[in-house]
Amino acid sequence: MTIDGDVLEIELDMELDDVCELKEFVATRLKYIEEIIFVGGDEEFATSSLFSLLFSIKKTKPSIKIPLIDEELFTFKNFGKVYWKT
């Protein structure tokens, strides 16, 4: 997890303790973060808690860009194509 200006870069394959750390990190910086992108292991994920956190962030700050949520189609190595319904 790194922050480059107003872009937060995270890995999709975070473990639960990493997601908890991310939550604490984002809580104090949410007003400064404009986008959350994925780097590295973006084809596999370790826990669904990351998705819950990202959806919560998006609900709290709808203007934030999160490609995993904003795009209607996302492809995972193990699960194939995932379509989000809004």
Side-chain angles (χ1 to χ4, degrees):
M1 157 177 59
T2 59
I3 193 155
D4 181 17
D6 55 0
V7 178
L8 177 62
E9 300 174 345
I10 61 174
E11 293 185 9
L12 194 57
D13 60 354
M14 298 175 112
E15 296 291 334
L16 183 57
D17 56 336
D18 297 326
V19 174
C20 293
E21 186 179 314
L22 175 64
K23 179 183 177 243
E24 296 300 319
F25 180 83
V26 169
T28 59
R29 296 168 179 86
L30 186 58
K31 64 182 176 181
Y32 305 111
I33 299 171
E34 296 298 323
E35 184 175 10
I36 298 176
I37 62 171
F38 302 98
V39 294
D42 61 349
E43 293 181 346
E44 298 179 18
F45 59 93
T47 177
S48 62
S49 61
L50 178 59
F51 290 112
S52 296
L53 177 60
L54 293 174
F55 278 103
S56 176
I57 290 170
K58 185 69 172 179
K59 190 169 188 174
T60 303
K61 185 178 177 183
S63 65
I64 197 166
K65 291 173 52 180
I66 305 174
L68 180 68
I69 297 172
D70 296 337
E71 296 176 10
E72 293 181 16
L73 171 65
F74 205 81
T75 303
F76 294 101
K77 182 179 180 181
N78 292 339
F79 300 103
K81 294 179 182 179
V82 175
Y83 295 93
W84 298 119
K85 300 263 185 181
T86 56

